[in-house]
């Protein structure tokens, strides 16, 4: 579906608490995003930062008047994300989307018999929100592995607990400081689950580069397929600036904003 450049009306911005926030905006002209797709957005009426920032569509809902309400789950790390977290209801913000190529395997999910493992690192959970909902709707069971430095990084744990349990799976949490779930990295229970015969046939991941690279190694060793929602700095979001190259194993490059952000795990030169 074609991306549309329009203005979204901010409905609310919730501090989860900060630095994490959830921004909801009504975007009249936008078509629903596929899981893994993103939008380019910016805060309203601010001279800087002038480049829009890439945000996964975390959740979405079509309203009775034909418009789309999108939810963006964010973490403030600089001026662009700070401007979004500072938006107030009623402000109109530029929204371009939906953009990019989402999770390819979702179309097959209903017929796929095996269970899925979704592996998120911190704010990477934003990239897996629509996917978790789609799998749950398709009746495909999944476990959600949610890792962070500490409990505050697992902001959407209850949402993913609800979705995974409805799908017949469970939420598994780890934190590096032990403040929630097991102490350690989220790859440990993923590997333990695979060793114990959890029956995963697909793994989906989004998070820091190191996590996705580790998940790619684990999936390859276990002989299971998988996909990652990658991130690079982005100037335009639609293939014009060529600033978002992702190195591929075949020696070539792909544009994160067009061929990605979702790639098959075995495609990427991690
Ligand atoms: C396809 C895609 C989807 C994304 N989805 C989300 C989302 O749903 N929620 C969300 O909070 N963020 C998401 N991001 C990341 C988000 O775009 C960046 O956090 C944002 O552009 C940072 O802008 P800033 O002005 O706040 O920070 P900047 O001032 O640009 O950067 C501040 C510091 O953070 C570093 N930095 C910038 N981007 C990243 C990054 N991606 N990872 C780690 N460090 C970074 C910079 O090098 C700099 O040191 C996504 C990125 C991509 C490419
Ligand atoms: S962000 Fe400009 S080409 Fe990808």
């Amino acid at each position: 579906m074609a991306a549309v450049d329009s203005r979204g009306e901010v409905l609310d911005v919730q501090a989860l608490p900060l630095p994490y926030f959830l921004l909801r905006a009504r975007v009249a002209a936008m078509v629903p995003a596929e899981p893994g797709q993103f939008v380019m957005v910016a805060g309203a009426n601010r001279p800087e930062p002038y480049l829009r920032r890439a945000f996964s569509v975390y959740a979405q809902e079509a309203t009775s008047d034909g418009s789309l309400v999108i939810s963006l789950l964010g973490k403030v790390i600089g001026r662009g994300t700070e401007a979004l977290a500072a938006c107030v209801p009623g402000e109109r913000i530029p929204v371009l989307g939906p953009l990019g190529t989402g999770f390819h395997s979702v179309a097959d999910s209903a017929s796929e018999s095996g269970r899925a493992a979704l592996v998120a690192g911190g704010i990477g959970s934003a990239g897996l929100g629509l996917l978790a909902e789609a799998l749950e709707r398709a009746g495909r069971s999944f476990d959600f592995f949610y890792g962070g430095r500490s409990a505050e990084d697992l902001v959407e744990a209850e949402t993913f607990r609800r979705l995974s349990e409805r799908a017949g799976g469970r939420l598994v949490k780890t934190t590096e400081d032990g403040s929630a779930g097991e102490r350690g990295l989220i790859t440990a229970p993923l590997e333990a689950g695979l060793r114990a015969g959890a029956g995963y046939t697909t793994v989906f991941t989004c998070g820091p580069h190191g996590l996705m690279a580790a998940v790619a190694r684990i999936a390859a060793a276990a002989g299971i397929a998988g996909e990652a929602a990658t991130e690079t700095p982005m100037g335009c979001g639609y293939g014009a600036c060529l600033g978002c190259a992702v190195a591929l194993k075949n020696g070539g490059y792909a544009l994160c904003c067009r061929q990605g952000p979702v790639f098959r795990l075995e495609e990427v030169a991690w």
Side-chain angles (χ1 to χ4, degrees), residues 50-234:
Y50 57 89
L51 283 182
R52 298 183 194 188
R53 296 323 198 231
F55 267 72
S56 305
V57 177
Y58 172 60
Q60 62 191 354
E61 191 186 341
T63 62
S64 51
D65 66 0
S67 57
L68 188 73
V69 173
I70 59 169
S71 298
L72 308 179
L73 178 64
K75 180 179 184 184
V76 175
I77 62 164
R79 288 181 307 167
T81 43
E82 196 173 54
L84 282 162
C87 284
V88 295
E91 272 184 327
R92 297 182 71 74
I93 59 172
V95 180
L96 170 64
L99 295 163
T101 305
F103 290 96
H104 313 79
S105 316
V106 174
D108 306 329
S109 288
S111 54
E112 175 78 58
S113 56
R115 303 176 66 225
L118 275 58
V119 188
I123 190 62
S125 53
L128 299 178
L130 286 185
L131 177 69
E133 283 184 12
L135 293 176
E136 191 264 330
R137 268 200 312 276
R140 181 156 178 214
S141 179
F142 66 89
D143 291 335
F144 195 94
F145 294 84
Y146 203 177
R149 289 212 171 88
S150 68
E152 295 80 54
D153 297 317
L154 310 184
V155 274
E156 285 294 278
E158 283 318 305
T159 300
F160 290 112
R161 179 192 306 284
R162 182 170 40 79
L163 285 169
S164 56
E165 287 181 357
R166 266 203 230 145
R170 66 191 180 113
L171 172 73
V172 180
K173 298 189 286 189
T174 62
T175 50
E176 289 172 40
D177 65 3
S179 54
E182 290 287 311
R183 181 191 296 269
L185 300 177
I186 197 61
T187 43
L190 173 67
E191 287 187 290
L194 284 164
R195 274 197 305 273
Y200 303 128
T201 54
T202 325
V203 58
F204 301 99
T205 184
C206 185
H209 183 90
L211 168 66
M212 295 191 288
V215 170
R217 280 195 300 275
I218 292 166
I224 57 177
E227 294 184 333
T230 62
E231 280 187 20
T232 64
M234 283 191 182

